[in-house]
PDB file of all heavy atoms in Angstrom:
ATOM      1  N   PRO A   8      10.297  -7.479  15.422  1.00 97.00           N
ATOM      2  CA  PRO A   8       9.518  -8.633  15.339  1.00 97.00           C
ATOM      3  C   PRO A   8       8.114  -8.362  14.620  1.00 97.00           C
ATOM      4  O   PRO A   8       7.806  -7.177  14.321  1.00 97.00           O
ATOM      5  CB  PRO A   8       9.191  -8.928  16.858  1.00 97.00           C
ATOM      6  CG  PRO A   8       9.130  -7.646  17.444  1.00 97.00           C
ATOM      7  CD  PRO A   8      10.211  -6.774  16.730  1.00 97.00           C
ATOM      8  N   ARG A   9       7.356  -9.396  14.251  1.00 97.00           N
ATOM      9  CA  ARG A   9       6.082  -9.178  13.659  1.00 97.00           C
ATOM     10  C   ARG A   9       5.069  -8.742  14.726  1.00 97.00           C
ATOM     11  O   ARG A   9       4.138  -7.950  14.344  1.00 97.00           O
ATOM     12  CB  ARG A   9       5.609 -10.440  13.040  1.00 97.00           C
ATOM     13  CG  ARG A   9       6.334 -10.866  11.761  1.00 97.00           C
ATOM     14  CD  ARG A   9       6.177  -9.830  10.678  1.00 97.00           C
ATOM     15  NE  ARG A   9       4.886  -9.355  10.351  1.00 97.00           N
ATOM     16  CZ  ARG A   9       4.075  -9.984   9.518  1.00 97.00           C
ATOM     17  NH1 ARG A   9       4.420 -11.051   8.867  1.00 97.00           N
ATOM     18  NH2 ARG A   9       2.775  -9.547   9.271  1.00 97.00           N
ATOM     19  N   HIS A  10       5.217  -9.201  15.999  1.00 97.00           N
ATOM     20  CA  HIS A  10       4.246  -8.871  17.034  1.00 97.00           C
ATOM     21  C   HIS A  10       5.095  -8.473  18.304  1.00 97.00           C
ATOM     22  O   HIS A  10       6.100  -9.140  18.544  1.00 97.00           O
ATOM     23  CB  HIS A  10       3.328  -9.984  17.370  1.00 97.00           C
ATOM     24  CG  HIS A  10       2.452 -10.485  16.228  1.00 97.00           C
ATOM     25  ND1 HIS A  10       1.192  -9.840  15.914  1.00 97.00           N
ATOM     26  CD2 HIS A  10       2.635 -11.390  15.311  1.00 97.00           C
ATOM     27  CE1 HIS A  10       0.738 -10.346  14.816  1.00 97.00           C
ATOM     28  NE2 HIS A  10       1.536 -11.338  14.483  1.00 97.00           N
ATOM     29  N   LEU A  11       4.651  -7.504  19.049  1.00 96.00           N
ATOM     30  CA  LEU A  11       5.350  -7.139  20.228  1.00 96.00           C
ATOM     31  C   LEU A  11       4.298  -6.658  21.297  1.00 96.00           C
ATOM     32  O   LEU A  11       3.436  -5.792  20.969  1.00 96.00           O
ATOM     33  CB  LEU A  11       6.399  -5.976  19.982  1.00 96.00           C
ATOM     34  CG  LEU A  11       7.163  -5.457  21.117  1.00 96.00           C
ATOM     35  CD1 LEU A  11       7.969  -6.550  21.816  1.00 96.00           C
ATOM     36  CD2 LEU A  11       7.969  -4.238  20.700  1.00 96.00           C
ATOM     37  N   VAL A  12       4.410  -7.183  22.474  1.00 95.00           N
ATOM     38  CA  VAL A  12       3.511  -6.774  23.557  1.00 95.00           C
ATOM     39  C   VAL A  12       4.464  -6.224  24.653  1.00 95.00           C
ATOM     40  O   VAL A  12       5.461  -6.949  25.010  1.00 95.00           O
ATOM     41  CB  VAL A  12       2.715  -7.935  24.158  1.00 95.00           C
ATOM     42  CG1 VAL A  12       1.854  -7.409  25.294  1.00 95.00           C
ATOM     43  CG2 VAL A  12       1.731  -8.519  23.049  1.00 95.00           C
ATOM     44  N   MET A  13       4.268  -5.018  25.049  1.00 93.00           N
ATOM     45  CA  MET A  13       5.172  -4.475  26.062  1.00 93.00           C
ATOM     46  C   MET A  13       4.420  -3.662  27.108  1.00 93.00           C
ATOM     47  O   MET A  13       3.293  -3.095  26.816  1.00 93.00           O
ATOM     48  CB  MET A  13       6.242  -3.600  25.479  1.00 93.00           C
ATOM     49  CG  MET A  13       5.750  -2.457  24.643  1.00 93.00           C
ATOM     50  SD  MET A  13       7.151  -1.637  23.801  1.00 93.00           S
ATOM     51  CE  MET A  13       7.969  -0.787  25.119  1.00 93.00           C
ATOM     52  N   GLY A  14       4.887  -3.651  28.297  1.00 90.00           N
ATOM     53  CA  GLY A  14       4.283  -2.814  29.363  1.00 90.00           C
ATOM     54  C   GLY A  14       4.698  -1.368  29.228  1.00 90.00           C
ATOM     55  O   GLY A  14       5.667  -0.986  28.470  1.00 90.00           O
ATOM     56  N   MET A  15       4.065  -0.464  29.906  1.00 88.00           N
ATOM     57  CA  MET A  15       4.340   0.948  29.746  1.00 88.00           C
ATOM     58  C   MET A  15       5.744   1.340  30.276  1.00 88.00           C
ATOM     59  O   MET A  15       6.275   2.358  29.925  1.00 88.00           O
ATOM     60  CB  MET A  15       3.314   1.713  30.503  1.00 88.00           C
ATOM     61  CG  MET A  15       1.892   1.601  29.920  1.00 88.00           C
ATOM     62  SD  MET A  15       0.519   2.199  30.818  1.00 88.00           S
ATOM     63  CE  MET A  15       0.971   3.937  30.979  1.00 88.00           C
ATOM     64  N   THR A  16       6.398   0.516  31.066  1.00 87.00           N
ATOM     65  CA  THR A  16       7.671   0.823  31.630  1.00 87.00           C
ATOM     66  C   THR A  16       8.823   0.169  30.839  1.00 87.00           C
ATOM     67  O   THR A  16       9.887   0.385  31.226  1.00 87.00           O
ATOM     68  CB  THR A  16       7.715   0.528  33.131  1.00 87.00           C
ATOM     69  OG1 THR A  16       7.554  -0.885  33.277  1.00 87.00           O
ATOM     70  CG2 THR A  16       6.796   1.328  33.914  1.00 87.00           C
ATOM     71  N   ASN A  17       8.492  -0.692  29.870  1.00 88.00           N
ATOM     72  CA  ASN A  17       9.525  -1.450  29.119  1.00 88.00           C
ATOM     73  C   ASN A  17      10.308  -0.616  28.233  1.00 88.00           C
ATOM     74  O   ASN A  17       9.808   0.493  27.784  1.00 88.00           O
ATOM     75  CB  ASN A  17       8.938  -2.649  28.364  1.00 88.00           C
ATOM     76  CG  ASN A  17       8.371  -3.733  29.225  1.00 88.00           C
ATOM     77  OD1 ASN A  17       7.542  -4.479  28.850  1.00 88.00           O
ATOM     78  ND2 ASN A  17       8.821  -3.740  30.540  1.00 88.00           N
ATOM     79  N   LYS A  18      11.436  -1.108  27.732  1.00 93.00           N
ATOM     80  CA  LYS A  18      12.094  -0.593  26.609  1.00 93.00           C
ATOM     81  C   LYS A  18      12.319  -1.625  25.595  1.00 93.00           C
ATOM     82  O   LYS A  18      12.814  -2.736  25.961  1.00 93.00           O
ATOM     83  CB  LYS A  18      13.544  -0.078  27.038  1.00 93.00           C
ATOM     84  CG  LYS A  18      13.558   1.201  27.860  1.00 93.00           C
ATOM     85  CD  LYS A  18      15.002   1.661  28.120  1.00 93.00           C
ATOM     86  CE  LYS A  18      15.101   2.883  28.976  1.00 93.00           C
ATOM     87  NZ  LYS A  18      16.459   3.276  29.289  1.00 93.00           N
ATOM     88  N   LYS A  19      11.976  -1.352  24.347  1.00 95.00           N
ATOM     89  CA  LYS A  19      12.108  -2.349  23.234  1.00 95.00           C
ATOM     90  C   LYS A  19      12.529  -1.628  22.003  1.00 95.00           C
ATOM     91  O   LYS A  19      12.482  -0.376  21.926  1.00 95.00           O
ATOM     92  CB  LYS A  19      10.796  -3.066  23.027  1.00 95.00           C
ATOM     93  CG  LYS A  19      10.304  -3.901  24.179  1.00 95.00           C
ATOM     94  CD  LYS A  19      11.078  -5.195  24.266  1.00 95.00           C
ATOM     95  CE  LYS A  19      10.494  -6.146  25.414  1.00 95.00           C
ATOM     96  NZ  LYS A  19      11.234  -7.308  25.539  1.00 95.00           N
ATOM     97  N   SER A  20      12.950  -2.349  21.033  1.00 97.00           N
ATOM     98  CA  SER A  20      13.305  -1.803  19.719  1.00 97.00           C
ATOM     99  C   SER A  20      12.650  -2.530  18.584  1.00 97.00           C
ATOM    100  O   SER A  20      12.622  -3.770  18.584  1.00 97.00           O
ATOM    101  CB  SER A  20      14.885  -1.816  19.548  1.00 97.00           C
ATOM    102  OG  SER A  20      15.458  -0.967  20.505  1.00 97.00           O
ATOM    103  N   LEU A  21      12.257  -1.812  17.528  1.00 98.00           N
ATOM    104  CA  LEU A  21      11.817  -2.375  16.309  1.00 98.00           C
ATOM    105  C   LEU A  21      12.885  -2.329  15.268  1.00 98.00           C
ATOM    106  O   LEU A  21      13.695  -1.319  15.241  1.00 98.00           O
ATOM    107  CB  LEU A  21      10.541  -1.688  15.786  1.00 98.00           C
ATOM    108  CG  LEU A  21       9.386  -1.415  16.728  1.00 98.00           C
ATOM    109  CD1 LEU A  21       8.225  -0.776  16.007  1.00 98.00           C
ATOM    110  CD2 LEU A  21       8.994  -2.711  17.388  1.00 98.00           C
ATOM    111  N   LYS A  22      12.997  -3.383  14.454  1.00 98.00           N
ATOM    112  CA  LYS A  22      14.122  -3.376  13.475  1.00 98.00           C
ATOM    113  C   LYS A  22      13.589  -3.453  12.096  1.00 98.00           C
ATOM    114  O   LYS A  22      12.547  -4.101  11.835  1.00 98.00           O
ATOM    115  CB  LYS A  22      15.013  -4.593  13.766  1.00 98.00           C
ATOM    116  CG  LYS A  22      16.146  -4.651  12.846  1.00 98.00           C
ATOM    117  CD  LYS A  22      17.018  -5.946  13.087  1.00 98.00           C
ATOM    118  CE  LYS A  22      18.049  -6.151  12.033  1.00 98.00           C
ATOM    119  NZ  LYS A  22      18.843  -7.352  12.269  1.00 98.00           N
ATOM    120  N   CYS A  23      14.203  -2.788  11.171  1.00 98.00           N
ATOM    121  CA  CYS A  23      13.830  -2.793   9.793  1.00 98.00           C
ATOM    122  C   CYS A  23      15.110  -2.965   8.906  1.00 98.00           C
ATOM    123  O   CYS A  23      16.144  -2.288   9.240  1.00 98.00           O
ATOM    124  CB  CYS A  23      13.167  -1.533   9.431  1.00 98.00           C
ATOM    125  SG  CYS A  23      12.702  -1.360   7.614  1.00 98.00           S
ATOM    126  N   GLU A  24      15.034  -3.776   7.905  1.00 98.00           N
ATOM    127  CA  GLU A  24      16.158  -4.022   7.012  1.00 98.00           C
ATOM    128  C   GLU A  24      15.676  -3.975   5.561  1.00 98.00           C
ATOM    129  O   GLU A  24      14.692  -4.655   5.292  1.00 98.00           O
ATOM    130  CB  GLU A  24      16.923  -5.262   7.327  1.00 98.00           C
ATOM    131  CG  GLU A  24      18.212  -5.488   6.512  1.00 98.00           C
ATOM    132  CD  GLU A  24      18.922  -6.697   6.905  1.00 98.00           C
ATOM    133  OE1 GLU A  24      18.539  -7.404   7.930  1.00 98.00           O
ATOM    134  OE2 GLU A  24      19.975  -6.998   6.344  1.00 98.00           O
ATOM    135  N   GLN A  25      16.282  -3.272   4.693  1.00 97.00           N
ATOM    136  CA  GLN A  25      15.882  -3.235   3.326  1.00 97.00           C
ATOM    137  C   GLN A  25      17.012  -3.810   2.453  1.00 97.00           C
ATOM    138  O   GLN A  25      18.177  -3.456   2.670  1.00 97.00           O
ATOM    139  CB  GLN A  25      15.395  -1.825   2.857  1.00 97.00           C
ATOM    140  CG  GLN A  25      16.479  -0.672   3.021  1.00 97.00           C
ATOM    141  CD  GLN A  25      17.103  -0.425   1.679  1.00 97.00           C
ATOM    142  OE1 GLN A  25      16.907  -1.035   0.670  1.00 97.00           O
ATOM    143  NE2 GLN A  25      18.025   0.582   1.731  1.00 97.00           N
ATOM    144  N   HIS A  26      16.593  -4.629   1.500  1.00 95.00           N
ATOM    145  CA  HIS A  26      17.586  -5.320   0.577  1.00 95.00           C
ATOM    146  C   HIS A  26      17.420  -4.802  -0.830  1.00 95.00           C
ATOM    147  O   HIS A  26      17.632  -5.566  -1.846  1.00 95.00           O
ATOM    148  CB  HIS A  26      17.271  -6.817   0.599  1.00 95.00           C
ATOM    149  CG  HIS A  26      17.288  -7.409   2.012  1.00 95.00           C
ATOM    150  ND1 HIS A  26      18.367  -7.806   2.680  1.00 95.00           N
ATOM    151  CD2 HIS A  26      16.225  -7.596   2.936  1.00 95.00           C
ATOM    152  CE1 HIS A  26      18.061  -8.295   3.885  1.00 95.00           C
ATOM    153  NE2 HIS A  26      16.788  -8.127   4.018  1.00 95.00           N
ATOM    154  N   LEU A  27      17.010  -3.574  -0.972  1.00 94.00           N
ATOM    155  CA  LEU A  27      16.647  -2.976  -2.325  1.00 94.00           C
ATOM    156  C   LEU A  27      17.682  -1.978  -2.822  1.00 94.00           C
ATOM    157  O   LEU A  27      17.513  -1.446  -3.905  1.00 94.00           O
ATOM    158  CB  LEU A  27      15.236  -2.340  -2.269  1.00 94.00           C
ATOM    159  CG  LEU A  27      14.096  -3.330  -1.934  1.00 94.00           C
ATOM    160  CD1 LEU A  27      12.844  -2.564  -1.546  1.00 94.00           C
ATOM    161  CD2 LEU A  27      13.920  -4.300  -3.087  1.00 94.00           C
ATOM    162  N   GLY A  28      18.638  -1.735  -1.992  1.00 93.00           N
ATOM    163  CA  GLY A  28      19.693  -0.693  -2.331  1.00 93.00           C
ATOM    164  C   GLY A  28      19.131   0.754  -2.339  1.00 93.00           C
ATOM    165  O   GLY A  28      19.693   1.630  -3.038  1.00 93.00           O
ATOM    166  N   HIS A  29      18.063   0.956  -1.574  1.00 93.00           N
ATOM    167  CA  HIS A  29      17.512   2.290  -1.525  1.00 93.00           C
ATOM    168  C   HIS A  29      18.255   3.223  -0.586  1.00 93.00           C
ATOM    169  O   HIS A  29      19.000   2.757   0.300  1.00 93.00           O
ATOM    170  CB  HIS A  29      16.028   2.190  -1.073  1.00 93.00           C
ATOM    171  CG  HIS A  29      15.101   1.600  -2.044  1.00 93.00           C
ATOM    172  ND1 HIS A  29      13.829   1.216  -1.773  1.00 93.00           N
ATOM    173  CD2 HIS A  29      15.242   1.429  -3.431  1.00 93.00           C
ATOM    174  CE1 HIS A  29      13.276   0.720  -2.954  1.00 93.00           C
ATOM    175  NE2 HIS A  29      14.052   0.816  -3.895  1.00 93.00           N
ATOM    176  N   ASN A  30      18.093   4.537  -0.806  1.00 91.00           N
ATOM    177  CA  ASN A  30      18.761   5.508   0.036  1.00 91.00           C
ATOM    178  C   ASN A  30      17.891   6.135   1.075  1.00 91.00           C
ATOM    179  O   ASN A  30      18.426   6.901   1.892  1.00 91.00           O
ATOM    180  CB  ASN A  30      19.354   6.608  -0.933  1.00 91.00           C
ATOM    181  CG  ASN A  30      20.483   6.053  -1.792  1.00 91.00           C
ATOM    182  OD1 ASN A  30      21.277   5.278  -1.352  1.00 91.00           O
ATOM    183  ND2 ASN A  30      20.379   6.427  -3.002  1.00 91.00           N
ATOM    184  N   ALA A  31      16.657   5.953   1.036  1.00 92.00           N
ATOM    185  CA  ALA A  31      15.778   6.682   1.987  1.00 92.00           C
ATOM    186  C   ALA A  31      14.983   5.591   2.752  1.00 92.00           C
ATOM    187  O   ALA A  31      14.535   4.519   2.188  1.00 92.00           O
ATOM    188  CB  ALA A  31      14.752   7.657   1.282  1.00 92.00           C
ATOM    189  N   MET A  32      14.707   5.830   4.079  1.00 94.00           N
ATOM    190  CA  MET A  32      13.952   4.883   4.946  1.00 94.00           C
ATOM    191  C   MET A  32      12.961   5.676   5.756  1.00 94.00           C
ATOM    192  O   MET A  32      13.282   6.833   6.096  1.00 94.00           O
ATOM    193  CB  MET A  32      14.843   3.975   5.733  1.00 94.00           C
ATOM    194  CG  MET A  32      15.715   3.020   4.903  1.00 94.00           C
ATOM    195  SD  MET A  32      16.630   1.862   5.826  1.00 94.00           S
ATOM    196  CE  MET A  32      15.331   0.634   6.126  1.00 94.00           C
TER     197      MET A  32
END
Side-chain angles (χ1 to χ4, degrees):
Chain A
R9 288 299 308 274
H10 301 273
L11 178 62
V12 179
M13 58 186 289
M15 293 167 62
T16 58
N17 290 160
K18 288 185 181 180
K19 296 285 184 183
S20 296
L21 309 185
K22 180 183 175 182
C23 176
E24 184 174 359
Q25 59 98 357
H26 307 271
L27 299 167
H29 288 167
N30 292 318
M32 296 188 78

